[in-house]
Amino acid sequence: MSENNRILVGIDGGEGGRAAIAYAAAEAGLDDADLWLMHVSLSEPADVIHPYPWLSQDSRNSGMQVLRKAADEAATYVGADHVSGTLLEGRTVPGLVHAAAKARLVVLGDDRKHGLEHIVTGSITHRVAGHAPVPVVVVPSDWSGEQPARRVVVAVKDCESSAGLIAQGLRHAADRDAELVVIHAWQLDTVYDDMTLSHLDVTEWEKSARRALDEGLGRARRREPRASGVEVSVDVRHGQPARVIVNAAANADLLVIGRRRHSFPLGRLGSTGRALLRESRCPVEIQPPVPDVITIDDLVLEHEGRIEKAEEAPAL
C-alpha cells in the first residue's frame, strides 16, 4: 500500500462513517488509490493511573470491532488488498490531523440524525477540516452517490486569486464527466447592506467580479488541459453567502471550498465554511489554501516603463 496514494477515512461506527467509506471508495476508484481506515479511541493522559485498567482493554476491543466491520464494508467496494486499518489511542482531532500528512485526502462522515451527536461530530469535522494539511471531504450521513447529478460547484470568496481553486473543481468535474459551476456570493459586512447598495454601482461591482473569475478560469484551464471539454458556468450573486451557496449546490455531486488564505499556520475554516459543512446536502471538499495558478502565458515584462505581455519563454 503506497502512502503517496491513499485516502484516510475517519471511522466512528456510525452512519456517517459508512457514507464516508462509500465516498472514499468512489474516489479511490478514479486512480486506484488505497483506503486507510482510522478509528481514534480516546485514552487517558500518560500521567493518570486508571483504577480500572480493564476499561482501556475494553476500549481497544471495541475500537478493533468498529475497524473490522468498516474494513469488511470497504473491501466490498475496493477489495481487501486495498484496505488497511489503524486503531489510534489519543485525542481525535490531533490524531486525524497528524495522520493526514501521510495521505492525499481525508474523508469524514457527518451524522446529522441526532442533534447531540451532531454537536460532537460537527466539532470534530470543523476542526479537522480547518487544520489538515491535505484536502478534507465531509460527507453527510444520508448522502448517496448512486444517481450522480454530474454537477460540481466551486464556491470562490477571493475572485482575484481564484485560479487554484477553480483548477481543483475542473479536475473533479473531468473525473465525474460533470459540468462545473463557479459561484461567488457577496454581501457587505454591515447591517445596512441594502441601504449601502443603493449608493453603489452594483452592476459594475458584479462585472468586475465576473471578469476576475473569467480570468481565473482561463488560467485554470491552461493548467488542466484534460479538462478542456468541461462545461463551465460562472455565477455572481448578491446575498448571504452560505445560503446562496447551499442553494446552488443543492443538486450537486460535490461542493468545493477553500480555507482562509491569510491565517496561521495553514489557514482556517471561517464562519461561512462551518455553515456550509453544517447545511450542505452534498459532500463538501475543503481545500487548504491553494496558490493561484500562474503560467508562462500570464507573465508580463516591463520594457522602458511599459508593461507588455510575454509572448513566449526566453530560450535557454
Side-chain angles (χ1 to χ4, degrees):
M1 182 175 291
S2 171
E3 287 190 4
N4 296 326
N5 189 29
R6 62 180 180 176
I7 298 173
L8 176 63
V9 186
I11 300 299
D12 61 3
E15 289 300 311
R18 297 190 65 186
I21 289 173
Y23 181 91
E27 283 292 299
L30 297 174
D31 59 358
D32 199 31
D34 297 318
L35 298 187
W36 178 22
L37 312 181
M38 178 170 288
H39 176 72
V40 183
S41 178
L42 184 65
S43 64
E44 295 288 351
D47 58 347
V48 174
I49 300 176
H50 206 292
Y52 303 103
W54 55 268
L55 288 175
S56 180
Q57 186 60 48
D58 275 358
S59 177
R60 291 191 186 98
N61 292 340
S62 176
M64 289 304 299
Q65 185 176 1
V66 168
L67 272 176
R68 289 192 190 99
K69 183 177 179 181
D72 288 342
E73 185 165 354
T76 64
Y77 291 107
V78 299
D81 291 343
H82 290 281
V83 179
S84 67
T86 299
L87 177 61
L88 184 65
E89 291 190 337
R91 292 179 296 163
T92 302
V93 173
L96 290 172
V97 170
H98 180 75
K102 298 180 179 180
R104 70 167 177 81
L105 176 70
V106 177
V107 181
L108 304 174
D110 189 13
D111 195 339
R112 303 176 180 181
K113 292 183 179 179
H114 307 289
L116 183 58
E117 290 182 11
H118 185 256
I119 291 175
V120 177
T121 59
S123 174
I124 291 172
T125 55
H126 291 175
R127 286 184 287 160
V128 174
H131 294 88
V134 298
V136 176
V137 177
V138 178
V139 186
S141 56
D142 58 357
W143 171 84
S144 172
E146 294 181 357
Q147 296 181 324
R150 306 292 181 192
R151 189 167 187 257
V152 174
V153 176
V154 172
V156 174
K157 181 175 183 180
D158 183 358
C159 298
E160 299 294 335
S161 301
S162 60
L165 195 61
I166 294 174
Q168 301 286 350
L170 283 171
R171 281 196 286 272
H172 284 306
D175 287 339
R176 292 163 171 77
D177 191 24
E179 67 169 326
L180 177 65
V181 177
V182 178
I183 186 166
H184 170 67
W186 65 278
Q187 185 178 44
L188 298 179
D189 294 329
T190 171
V191 295
Y192 302 107
D193 180 72
D194 291 336
M195 185 183 302
T196 306
L197 287 177
S198 65
H199 298 285
L200 296 175
D201 187 346
V202 175
T203 301
E204 187 56 37
W205 187 314
E206 294 188 343
K207 282 183 178 179
S208 176
R210 186 177 295 274
R211 278 195 300 270
L213 291 174
D214 286 339
E215 291 172 1
L217 174 60
R219 294 196 298 275
R221 280 199 185 277
R222 289 193 288 274
R223 179 174 176 175
E224 298 296 331
R226 72 183 183 88
S228 59
V230 173
E231 181 180 342
V232 181
S233 61
V234 177
D235 193 2
V236 177
R237 300 188 199 177
H238 171 252
Q240 203 284 325
R243 184 178 301 113
V244 170
I245 295 166
V246 165
N247 290 337
N251 184 32
D253 300 312
L254 180 66
L255 168 62
V256 182
I257 65 175
R259 294 208 310 252
R260 291 182 174 180
R261 182 183 301 272
H262 302 296
S263 299
F264 181 84
L266 290 170
R268 66 184 178 89
L269 203 59
S271 58
T272 298
R274 294 194 297 272
L276 292 174
L277 292 190
R278 185 177 63 249
E279 302 296 336
S280 176
R281 283 161 275 181
C282 72
V284 181
E285 179 174 284
I286 304 93
Q287 287 282 336
V290 180
D292 200 16
V293 177
I294 300 177
T295 68
I296 192 66
D297 293 333
D298 300 315
L299 298 179
V300 296
L301 305 175
E302 183 175 353
H303 178 65
E304 296 181 353
R306 301 191 308 275
I307 301 297
E308 301 174 350
K309 187 177 180 62
E311 298 299 333
E312 59 182 27
L316 298 178

Coordinates of all heavy atoms in Angstrom, one line a residue, residues 233-312:
S233 N -20.0 27.2 -16.0 CA -20.8 28.5 -15.9 C -20.3 29.3 -14.7 O -19.9 28.7 -13.7 CB -22.2 28.2 -15.8 OG -22.5 27.4 -14.6
V234 N -20.3 30.6 -14.8 CA -19.8 31.5 -13.8 C -21.0 32.3 -13.3 O -21.7 32.9 -14.1 CB -18.7 32.4 -14.3 CG1 -18.3 33.4 -13.2 CG2 -17.5 31.6 -14.7
D235 N -21.2 32.3 -12.0 CA -22.4 32.9 -11.4 C -21.9 33.9 -10.3 O -21.2 33.4 -9.3 CB -23.3 31.9 -10.9 CG -24.7 32.4 -10.5 OD1 -24.9 33.6 -10.7 OD2 -25.5 31.7 -10.0
V236 N -22.3 35.1 -10.3 CA -22.0 36.1 -9.3 C -23.4 36.6 -8.7 O -24.2 37.1 -9.4 CB -21.2 37.3 -9.8 CG1 -21.0 38.3 -8.7 CG2 -19.9 36.8 -10.4
R237 N -23.6 36.4 -7.4 CA -24.8 36.7 -6.8 C -24.7 37.5 -5.5 O -23.7 37.3 -4.7 CB -25.6 35.5 -6.4 CG -26.0 34.6 -7.6 CD -26.9 33.5 -7.2 NE -26.9 32.4 -8.1 CZ -27.6 31.3 -7.9 NH1 -28.4 31.1 -6.8 NH2 -27.6 30.3 -8.7
H238 N -25.6 38.5 -5.3 CA -25.6 39.2 -4.0 C -26.6 38.4 -3.1 O -27.7 38.1 -3.5 CB -26.1 40.6 -4.2 CG -26.4 41.3 -3.0 ND1 -27.7 41.6 -2.5 CD2 -25.5 41.8 -2.0 CE1 -27.6 42.2 -1.3 NE2 -26.3 42.4 -1.0
G239 N -26.1 38.2 -1.9 CA -26.9 37.5 -0.9 C -26.0 36.9 0.2 O -24.8 36.9 0.1
Q240 N -26.7 36.4 1.2 CA -26.0 35.8 2.3 C -25.2 34.6 1.8 O -25.8 33.7 1.3 CB -26.9 35.4 3.4 CG -26.3 35.2 4.8 CD -25.5 34.0 4.9 OE1 -25.9 32.9 4.3 NE2 -24.4 34.0 5.7
P241 N -23.8 34.6 1.8 CA -23.1 33.6 1.1 C -23.4 32.2 1.4 O -23.6 31.4 0.5 CB -21.6 33.9 1.5 CG -21.6 35.4 1.8 CD -23.0 35.7 2.4
A242 N -23.5 31.8 2.7 CA -23.8 30.4 3.0 C -25.1 29.9 2.4 O -25.2 28.9 1.8 CB -23.8 30.2 4.5
R243 N -26.1 30.8 2.5 CA -27.5 30.4 2.0 C -27.4 30.3 0.4 O -28.0 29.4 -0.2 CB -28.5 31.5 2.4 CG -29.9 31.1 2.0 CD -30.9 32.1 2.4 NE -30.9 32.3 3.9 CZ -30.5 33.4 4.5 NH1 -30.1 34.4 3.9 NH2 -30.5 33.4 5.9
V244 N -26.8 31.3 -0.2 CA -26.7 31.2 -1.7 C -26.0 30.0 -2.2 O -26.4 29.3 -3.1 CB -26.0 32.5 -2.2 CG1 -25.7 32.4 -3.7 CG2 -26.9 33.7 -2.0
I245 N -24.8 29.7 -1.5 CA -24.0 28.5 -2.0 C -24.7 27.2 -1.7 O -24.7 26.3 -2.5 CB -22.6 28.6 -1.3 CG1 -21.9 29.8 -1.7 CG2 -21.8 27.3 -1.6 CD1 -20.7 30.1 -0.8
V246 N -25.4 27.1 -0.5 CA -26.1 25.8 -0.2 C -27.2 25.6 -1.3 O -27.4 24.5 -1.8 CB -26.7 25.9 1.2 CG1 -27.8 24.8 1.3 CG2 -25.6 25.7 2.2
N247 N -27.9 26.6 -1.7 CA -28.9 26.5 -2.7 C -28.3 26.2 -4.0 O -28.9 25.3 -4.8 CB -29.8 27.8 -2.8 CG -30.6 28.0 -1.6 OD1 -31.0 27.1 -0.8 ND2 -31.0 29.3 -1.3
A248 N -27.2 26.8 -4.4 CA -26.6 26.5 -5.7 C -26.1 25.0 -5.7 O -26.0 24.4 -6.8 CB -25.4 27.4 -5.9
A249 N -25.7 24.5 -4.6 CA -25.1 23.1 -4.6 C -26.2 22.1 -4.2 O -25.8 20.9 -3.9 CB -24.0 23.0 -3.6
A250 N -27.4 22.5 -4.1 CA -28.5 21.5 -3.7 C -28.6 20.3 -4.5 O -28.8 19.2 -4.1 CB -29.8 22.2 -3.7
N251 N -28.3 20.5 -5.8 CA -28.3 19.3 -6.7 C -26.9 19.1 -7.4 O -26.7 19.2 -8.6 CB -29.4 19.5 -7.8 CG -29.5 18.3 -8.8 OD1 -29.3 17.2 -8.3 ND2 -29.8 18.6 -10.0
A252 N -25.9 18.9 -6.5 CA -24.6 18.7 -7.0 C -24.0 17.4 -6.4 O -24.4 16.9 -5.4 CB -23.7 19.9 -6.5
D253 N -22.9 16.9 -7.0 CA -22.2 15.8 -6.5 C -21.1 16.2 -5.5 O -20.8 15.4 -4.7 CB -21.6 15.0 -7.7 CG -22.6 14.5 -8.7 OD1 -23.6 13.9 -8.3 OD2 -22.4 14.7 -9.9
L254 N -20.7 17.4 -5.6 CA -19.6 17.9 -4.8 C -19.6 19.4 -4.7 O -19.8 20.0 -5.7 CB -18.2 17.3 -5.3 CG -17.0 17.7 -4.5 CD1 -17.0 17.1 -3.1 CD2 -15.7 17.3 -5.2
L255 N -19.3 19.9 -3.5 CA -19.1 21.4 -3.3 C -17.7 21.5 -2.9 O -17.2 20.9 -1.9 CB -20.1 21.9 -2.3 CG -19.8 23.3 -1.8 CD1 -19.9 24.4 -2.9 CD2 -20.8 23.7 -0.7
V256 N -16.9 22.4 -3.6 CA -15.5 22.6 -3.3 C -15.4 24.0 -2.7 O -15.8 25.0 -3.4 CB -14.6 22.5 -4.5 CG1 -13.1 22.7 -4.2 CG2 -14.8 21.1 -5.1
I257 N -14.7 24.2 -1.6 CA -14.5 25.5 -1.0 C -13.0 25.5 -0.5 O -12.4 24.5 -0.4 CB -15.4 25.8 0.2 CG1 -15.2 24.8 1.4 CG2 -16.9 25.7 -0.2 CD1 -16.0 25.1 2.6
G258 N -12.6 26.7 -0.2 CA -11.2 26.9 0.3 C -11.1 27.4 1.7 O -12.1 28.1 2.1
R259 N -10.1 27.1 2.4 CA -9.9 27.7 3.7 C -9.3 29.1 3.5 O -8.8 29.5 2.5 CB -8.9 26.9 4.5 CG -9.4 25.5 4.9 CD -8.8 25.0 6.2 NE -7.3 25.1 6.2 CZ -6.5 24.0 6.2 NH1 -7.0 22.8 6.0 NH2 -5.2 24.2 6.3
R260 N -9.4 29.9 4.6 CA -8.9 31.3 4.5 C -7.4 31.2 4.3 O -6.7 30.5 4.9 CB -9.2 32.0 5.8 CG -10.7 32.3 6.0 CD -10.9 33.1 7.3 NE -12.3 33.5 7.4 CZ -12.8 34.2 8.5 NH1 -12.0 34.5 9.5 NH2 -14.1 34.5 8.5
R261 N -6.9 32.1 3.4 CA -5.5 32.0 2.9 C -4.6 32.7 3.9 O -3.5 32.2 4.1 CB -5.4 32.8 1.6 CG -4.0 32.7 1.0 CD -4.0 33.5 -0.3 NE -5.0 33.0 -1.2 CZ -4.6 32.0 -2.1 NH1 -3.4 31.5 -2.1 NH2 -5.5 31.6 -3.0
H262 N -5.0 33.7 4.6 CA -4.1 34.5 5.4 C -4.1 34.2 6.9 O -4.0 35.1 7.7 CB -4.3 36.0 5.1 CG -4.2 36.4 3.7 ND1 -3.0 36.3 3.0 CD2 -5.1 36.8 2.8 CE1 -3.2 36.6 1.7 NE2 -4.5 37.0 1.6
S263 N -4.3 33.0 7.3 CA -4.4 32.6 8.7 C -3.3 31.6 9.0 O -2.9 30.8 8.1 CB -5.7 32.0 9.0 OG -6.8 33.0 8.8
F264 N -2.7 31.8 10.1 CA -1.5 30.9 10.5 C -2.1 29.7 11.2 O -3.0 29.7 12.0 CB -0.6 31.7 11.4 CG 0.6 30.9 11.9 CD1 1.7 30.8 11.1 CD2 0.6 30.2 13.1 CE1 2.8 30.1 11.5 CE2 1.7 29.5 13.5 CZ 2.8 29.4 12.7
P265 N -1.5 28.4 11.0 CA -0.4 28.2 10.1 C -0.8 27.8 8.7 O 0.0 28.0 7.7 CB 0.4 27.0 10.8 CG -0.8 26.3 11.4 CD -1.8 27.3 11.8
L266 N -2.0 27.2 8.5 CA -2.4 26.7 7.2 C -3.7 27.2 6.8 O -4.5 26.5 6.1 CB -2.3 25.2 7.2 CG -1.0 24.5 7.2 CD1 -1.1 23.0 7.4 CD2 -0.2 24.7 5.9
G267 N -4.1 28.4 7.3 CA -5.4 28.9 7.0 C -6.4 28.3 8.0 O -6.0 27.4 8.8
R268 N -7.6 28.7 8.0 CA -8.6 28.1 8.9 C -10.0 28.2 8.3 O -10.2 28.9 7.3 CB -8.6 28.8 10.3 CG -9.0 30.3 10.2 CD -8.9 30.9 11.6 NE -9.3 32.3 11.6 CZ -10.5 32.8 11.8 NH1 -11.5 31.9 12.0 NH2 -10.8 34.1 11.8
L269 N -10.9 27.5 8.9 CA -12.3 27.5 8.3 C -13.1 28.7 8.9 O -13.2 28.8 10.1 CB -12.9 26.2 8.7 CG -14.1 25.7 7.8 CD1 -13.6 25.5 6.4 CD2 -14.6 24.3 8.3
G270 N -13.6 29.5 8.0 CA -14.4 30.7 8.5 C -15.8 30.3 8.8 O -16.2 29.2 8.7
S271 N -16.6 31.3 9.2 CA -18.0 31.1 9.6 C -18.8 30.5 8.4 O -19.7 29.7 8.6 CB -18.6 32.4 10.1 OG -18.5 33.4 9.2
T272 N -18.5 31.0 7.2 CA -19.3 30.5 6.0 C -18.9 29.1 5.8 O -19.8 28.2 5.5 CB -19.0 31.4 4.8 OG1 -19.4 32.7 5.0 CG2 -19.7 30.8 3.6
G273 N -17.7 28.7 5.9 CA -17.3 27.3 5.7 C -17.9 26.4 6.7 O -18.4 25.3 6.4
R274 N -18.0 26.8 8.0 CA -18.6 26.0 9.0 C -20.1 25.8 8.7 O -20.7 24.7 8.9 CB -18.4 26.6 10.4 CG -16.9 26.6 10.8 CD -16.7 26.9 12.3 NE -17.2 28.2 12.6 CZ -16.5 29.3 12.6 NH1 -15.2 29.2 12.2 NH2 -16.9 30.5 12.9
A275 N -20.7 26.9 8.3 CA -22.2 26.8 8.0 C -22.4 25.9 6.8 O -23.4 25.1 6.8 CB -22.7 28.2 7.6
L276 N -21.5 25.9 5.8 CA -21.7 25.0 4.6 C -21.5 23.5 5.1 O -22.3 22.7 4.6 CB -20.7 25.4 3.6 CG -20.9 26.7 2.9 CD1 -19.7 27.0 1.9 CD2 -22.2 26.8 2.1
L277 N -20.6 23.2 5.9 CA -20.4 21.9 6.4 C -21.7 21.4 7.2 O -22.1 20.3 7.1 CB -19.2 21.8 7.4 CG -17.9 21.9 6.7 CD1 -16.8 21.5 7.7 CD2 -17.7 21.1 5.5
R278 N -22.3 22.4 7.9 CA -23.5 22.0 8.7 C -24.7 21.8 7.8 O -25.6 21.0 8.1 CB -23.7 23.1 9.7 CG -24.9 22.9 10.6 CD -25.0 24.0 11.7 NE -25.3 25.3 11.1 CZ -24.5 26.3 11.1 NH1 -23.3 26.2 11.6 NH2 -24.8 27.4 10.5
E279 N -24.8 22.6 6.7 CA -26.1 22.7 5.9 C -26.1 22.0 4.6 O -27.1 21.7 4.0 CB -26.5 24.2 5.8 CG -26.7 24.9 7.0 CD -27.8 24.4 7.9 OE1 -28.8 23.8 7.3 OE2 -27.8 24.6 9.1
S280 N -24.9 21.8 4.0 CA -24.8 21.3 2.7 C -25.4 19.9 2.6 O -25.2 19.0 3.4 CB -23.4 21.2 2.2 OG -23.3 20.6 0.9
R281 N -26.2 19.6 1.5 CA -26.8 18.3 1.3 C -25.9 17.4 0.4 O -26.2 16.3 0.2 CB -28.2 18.5 0.6 CG -29.2 19.0 1.5 CD -30.4 19.6 0.8 NE -30.2 21.0 0.5 CZ -31.1 21.8 -0.1 NH1 -32.2 21.2 -0.5 NH2 -30.8 23.0 -0.3
C282 N -24.8 17.9 -0.1 CA -23.8 17.1 -0.8 C -22.5 17.1 -0.1 O -22.3 18.0 0.8 CB -23.7 17.6 -2.2 SG -22.8 19.2 -2.4
P283 N -21.6 16.2 -0.4 CA -20.2 16.3 0.2 C -19.6 17.6 -0.1 O -19.7 18.2 -1.2 CB -19.5 15.1 -0.5 CG -20.6 14.2 -1.0 CD -21.8 15.0 -1.3
V284 N -18.8 18.1 0.9 CA -18.1 19.3 0.8 C -16.6 19.0 0.9 O -16.1 18.4 1.9 CB -18.5 20.3 1.9 CG1 -17.7 21.6 1.8 CG2 -20.0 20.6 1.9
E285 N -15.8 19.5 -0.1 CA -14.4 19.3 0.0 C -13.8 20.7 0.4 O -14.0 21.7 -0.3 CB -13.8 18.9 -1.4 CG -12.3 18.8 -1.3 CD -11.7 18.2 -2.6 OE1 -11.8 16.9 -2.8 OE2 -11.2 19.0 -3.4
I286 N -13.0 20.6 1.4 CA -12.3 21.8 1.9 C -10.8 21.8 1.5 O -10.1 20.9 1.9 CB -12.4 22.0 3.5 CG1 -13.9 21.9 3.9 CG2 -11.7 23.3 3.9 CD1 -14.4 20.6 4.2
Q287 N -10.4 22.7 0.7 CA -9.1 22.8 0.2 C -8.2 23.6 1.1 O -8.6 24.7 1.5 CB -9.0 23.3 -1.2 CG -9.5 22.4 -2.3 CD -8.5 21.4 -2.6 OE1 -7.3 21.6 -2.4 NE2 -9.0 20.3 -3.2
P288 N -7.0 23.2 1.5 CA -6.1 24.1 2.2 C -5.8 25.2 1.2 O -6.1 25.2 0.1 CB -4.8 23.2 2.4 CG -5.2 21.8 2.2 CD -6.4 21.8 1.2
P289 N -5.3 26.3 1.8 CA -5.0 27.5 0.9 C -4.3 27.1 -0.4 O -3.2 26.5 -0.3 CB -4.1 28.4 1.8 CG -4.6 28.1 3.2 CD -4.9 26.6 3.2
V290 N -4.9 27.3 -1.5 CA -4.4 26.9 -2.8 C -3.7 28.1 -3.5 O -4.3 29.1 -3.6 CB -5.5 26.4 -3.7 CG1 -4.9 26.0 -5.1 CG2 -6.2 25.3 -3.1
P291 N -2.4 28.0 -3.8 CA -1.7 29.1 -4.5 C -2.4 29.3 -5.9 O -2.8 28.4 -6.5 CB -0.3 28.6 -4.7 CG -0.4 27.1 -4.6 CD -1.5 26.8 -3.7
D292 N -2.4 30.6 -6.2 CA -3.0 30.9 -7.5 C -2.2 30.3 -8.6 O -1.0 30.1 -8.5 CB -3.1 32.4 -7.7 CG -4.1 32.8 -8.7 OD1 -4.9 32.0 -9.1 OD2 -4.0 34.0 -9.2
V293 N -2.8 30.1 -9.8 CA -2.1 29.4 -10.9 C -1.5 30.5 -11.8 O -2.2 31.4 -12.3 CB -3.1 28.6 -11.7 CG1 -2.4 28.0 -13.0 CG2 -3.7 27.5 -10.9
I294 N -0.2 30.4 -12.0 CA 0.5 31.4 -12.9 C 1.2 30.5 -13.9 O 2.0 29.6 -13.6 CB 1.5 32.2 -12.2 CG1 0.8 33.1 -11.1 CG2 2.2 33.1 -13.1 CD1 1.7 33.9 -10.3
T295 N 0.9 30.8 -15.2 CA 1.6 30.1 -16.3 C 2.4 31.0 -17.0 O 2.4 32.3 -16.9 CB 0.6 29.4 -17.2 OG1 -0.1 30.4 -17.9 CG2 -0.4 28.5 -16.5
I296 N 3.3 30.5 -18.0 CA 4.1 31.4 -18.7 C 3.3 32.4 -19.6 O 3.8 33.5 -19.8 CB 5.1 30.6 -19.6 CG1 6.2 31.5 -20.2 CG2 4.3 29.9 -20.7 CD1 7.1 32.0 -19.2
D297 N 2.1 32.0 -19.9 CA 1.3 32.9 -20.7 C 0.8 34.1 -19.9 O 0.4 35.1 -20.5 CB 0.0 32.1 -21.2 CG 0.4 31.1 -22.2 OD1 1.5 31.2 -22.9 OD2 -0.3 30.1 -22.3
D298 N 0.9 34.0 -18.6 CA 0.4 35.1 -17.8 C 1.4 36.1 -17.4 O 1.2 37.1 -16.7 CB -0.3 34.5 -16.5 CG -1.4 33.6 -16.8 OD1 -2.3 34.0 -17.6 OD2 -1.5 32.5 -16.2
L299 N 2.7 35.8 -17.7 CA 3.8 36.7 -17.3 C 3.8 37.9 -18.1 O 3.4 38.0 -19.2 CB 5.1 35.9 -17.5 CG 5.3 34.7 -16.7 CD1 6.7 34.1 -17.0 CD2 5.2 35.0 -15.2
V300 N 4.2 39.0 -17.4 CA 4.4 40.3 -18.1 C 5.8 40.8 -18.0 O 6.5 40.4 -17.0 CB 3.4 41.3 -17.6 CG1 2.0 40.9 -17.9 CG2 3.6 41.6 -16.1
L301 N 6.2 41.6 -18.9 CA 7.6 42.2 -18.9 C 7.5 43.7 -18.8 O 6.6 44.3 -19.4 CB 8.4 41.8 -20.1 CG 8.5 40.3 -20.4 CD1 9.2 40.1 -21.7 CD2 9.3 39.6 -19.3
E302 N 8.4 44.3 -18.1 CA 8.4 45.8 -18.1 C 9.5 46.2 -19.0 O 10.7 45.8 -18.9 CB 8.6 46.3 -16.7 CG 8.6 47.8 -16.6 CD 8.8 48.3 -15.2 OE1 8.7 47.5 -14.3 OE2 8.9 49.6 -15.1
H303 N 9.2 47.0 -20.0 CA 10.2 47.4 -21.0 C 10.1 48.9 -21.2 O 9.0 49.5 -21.7 CB 9.9 46.7 -22.3 CG 10.9 47.2 -23.4 ND1 12.3 46.9 -23.3 CD2 10.7 47.8 -24.6 CE1 12.8 47.4 -24.4 NE2 11.9 48.0 -25.2
E304 N 11.1 49.7 -20.7 CA 11.1 51.1 -20.9 C 9.8 51.8 -20.3 O 9.2 52.6 -20.9 CB 11.3 51.5 -22.3 CG 12.7 51.1 -22.9 CD 12.8 51.6 -24.3 OE1 11.9 52.1 -24.9 OE2 13.9 51.4 -24.9
G305 N 9.4 51.3 -19.1 CA 8.3 51.8 -18.4 C 7.0 51.3 -18.9 O 5.9 51.7 -18.3
R306 N 6.9 50.4 -19.9 CA 5.7 49.9 -20.4 C 5.6 48.4 -19.9 O 6.5 47.7 -19.9 CB 5.6 50.0 -21.9 CG 5.7 51.4 -22.5 CD 5.3 51.3 -24.0 NE 6.1 50.3 -24.7 CZ 7.3 50.6 -25.2 NH1 7.9 51.7 -25.0 NH2 7.9 49.6 -25.9
I307 N 4.3 48.0 -19.6 CA 4.1 46.6 -19.2 C 3.6 45.9 -20.5 O 2.6 46.3 -21.1 CB 3.0 46.5 -18.1 CG1 3.4 47.3 -16.9 CG2 2.7 45.1 -17.8 CD1 4.7 46.8 -16.3
E308 N 4.3 44.8 -20.8 CA 4.0 44.1 -22.0 C 3.8 42.6 -21.6 O 4.5 42.1 -20.8 CB 5.1 44.2 -23.1 CG 5.4 45.6 -23.5 CD 6.6 45.6 -24.4 OE1 7.3 44.6 -24.5 OE2 6.9 46.7 -25.0
K309 N 2.8 42.0 -22.3 CA 2.6 40.6 -22.0 C 3.7 39.7 -22.7 O 4.1 40.0 -23.8 CB 1.2 40.2 -22.6 CG 0.8 38.7 -22.3 CD -0.6 38.4 -22.8 CE -1.1 37.0 -22.5 NZ -1.2 36.8 -21.1
A310 N 4.2 38.8 -22.0 CA 5.2 37.9 -22.5 C 4.6 37.0 -23.6 O 3.7 36.3 -23.3 CB 5.9 37.1 -21.4
E311 N 5.2 37.0 -24.8 CA 4.7 36.1 -25.9 C 5.2 34.7 -25.7 O 4.5 33.7 -26.1 CB 5.1 36.7 -27.2 CG 4.5 38.1 -27.4 CD 2.9 38.1 -27.4 OE1 2.3 37.0 -27.8 OE2 2.3 39.1 -27.1
E312 N 6.4 34.6 -25.3 CA 7.0 33.2 -25.2 C 8.1 33.2 -24.2 O 8.7 34.3 -23.9 CB 7.5 32.7 -26.6 CG 8.5 33.6 -27.2 CD 9.0 33.1 -28.5 OE1 8.1 32.5 -29.2 OE2 10.1 33.4 -28.9

